[in-house]
Amino acid sequence: MSRVAIVTGAARGIGAATVDVLVNDGYRVVAVDRCRDIPDVPYALATSADLDAVVARHGDAVLGLVGDVRSASDMQLAVETAARHFGRLDAAVACAGVLAGGAALWEISDAAWDAVWSVNVLGTRRLIEAAAPALIANGKEANGRIVAVASAAGRTGLYHLAAYSAAKHAVVGLVRGAAMDLAPYGVTVNAVSPGSTRTALLEASARVYALDGAESFAPSQPLGRLLEPIEVASSIAWLCSPAASAVTGADVAVDGGMTVA
């Protein structure tokens, strides 16, 4: 029987690449995205057309669902949709994330802070709390998996991005706590922390620093290049696989060496 996953933030970037890699690994996927902008996030988010394009390249293996990760009912609907449409749920991957900043901590508005924290931290919590009962119900031998996308920013501080850095630190802490809660049930919970990856979020970061574009971040990584979303997605897929059965509560750096020093 094919394994089934939910992926949030699935319409583009690392989320879309994760859908692609999981499907190639034999998964069926409920691909979830908000598909509309958030007023206090200073760049355009993915659209319904982006989500439709992800679904279209995989046919019946992927079901698209418009939903907001901050909504408990939307995340519960995603879990119910996986069970109803594909018969089960084996993995939940929290890729949804946003960035706002461009000023010192004391100059960031409450609205911008709340937008960053609500999507990155509350959104991860909402997915975990919705998915956990279904993964537990599968039984201890079912290899249930939860993976959350954190960031190299969750291992260090970033100039004028205090809200984002703090939120990604919180995602790692949330993952570690959930890993302990779910360990008795055989469900693993891990984080993946990407470095500078070629995504719309990185383009937004470039604007924060008044840079010409995302490629300007390449020298900050020892590999000397930007990462591609599929490179991060491949690590996520590995953490969802039986090969990662002994890994839980980990924060896996996929950052081109950015946080080695």
Side-chain angles (χ1 to χ4, degrees):
M1 179 182 293
S2 296
R3 285 171 65 82
V4 177
I6 294 168
V7 178
T8 67
R12 68 184 186 192
I14 292 170
T18 298
V19 173
D20 295 341
V21 175
L22 287 175
V23 170
N24 288 340
D25 284 352
Y27 271 82
R28 292 174 293 174
V29 179
V30 177
V32 183
D33 205 284
R34 174 184 165 86
C35 295
R36 61 186 187 278
D37 292 343
I38 296 175
D40 296 292
V41 174
Y43 56 95
L45 301 184
T47 66
S48 295
D50 294 324
L51 183 60
D52 290 345
V54 174
V55 173
R57 60 179 177 255
H58 296 298
D60 293 341
V62 176
L63 178 68
L65 180 67
V66 174
D68 192 323
V69 293
R70 302 172 297 181
S71 165
S73 59
D74 282 5
M75 292 302 94
Q76 187 59 45
L77 177 60
V79 172
E80 292 169 358
T81 299
R84 183 173 62 251
H85 195 78
F86 293 128
R88 59 187 291 114
L89 178 67
D90 300 282
V93 183
C95 291
V98 298
L99 175 147
L105 172 62
W106 54 92
E107 297 173 340
I108 297 170
S109 70
D110 286 350
W113 177 279
D114 290 346
V116 170
W117 272 69
S118 64
V119 176
N120 290 285
V121 186
L122 178 62
T124 300
R125 173 197 166 190
R126 292 299 188 211
L127 179 61
I128 292 173
E129 67 187 7
L135 298 177
I136 291 169
N138 289 340
K140 196 168 183 177
E141 305 305 316
N143 294 311
R145 300 285 188 261
I146 296 173
V147 182
V149 174
S151 172
R155 292 169 171 245
T156 185
L158 295 177
Y159 180 69
H160 278 183
L161 287 174
Y164 182 73
S165 185
K168 291 303 188 179
H169 275 77
V171 169
V172 174
L174 183 63
V175 160
R176 288 176 171 156
M180 297 301 98
D181 289 341
L182 286 165
Y185 305 101
V187 177
T188 66
V189 189
N190 293 289
V192 168
S193 286
S196 296
T197 306
R198 199 183 305 278
T199 61
L201 189 146
L202 191 66
E203 289 290 348
S205 298
R207 289 193 289 275
V208 164
Y209 296 116
L211 299 173
D212 291 337
E215 201 65 40
S216 300
F217 289 108
S220 68
Q221 296 178 152
L223 288 183
R225 63 173 178 83
L226 297 184
L227 307 180
E228 299 299 331
I230 195 169
E231 294 180 289
V232 181
S234 295
S235 293
I236 293 169
W238 178 77
L239 287 169
C240 290
S241 76
S245 57
V247 182
T248 197
D251 176 19
V252 179
V254 186
D255 63 8
M258 182 178 176
T259 57
V260 169

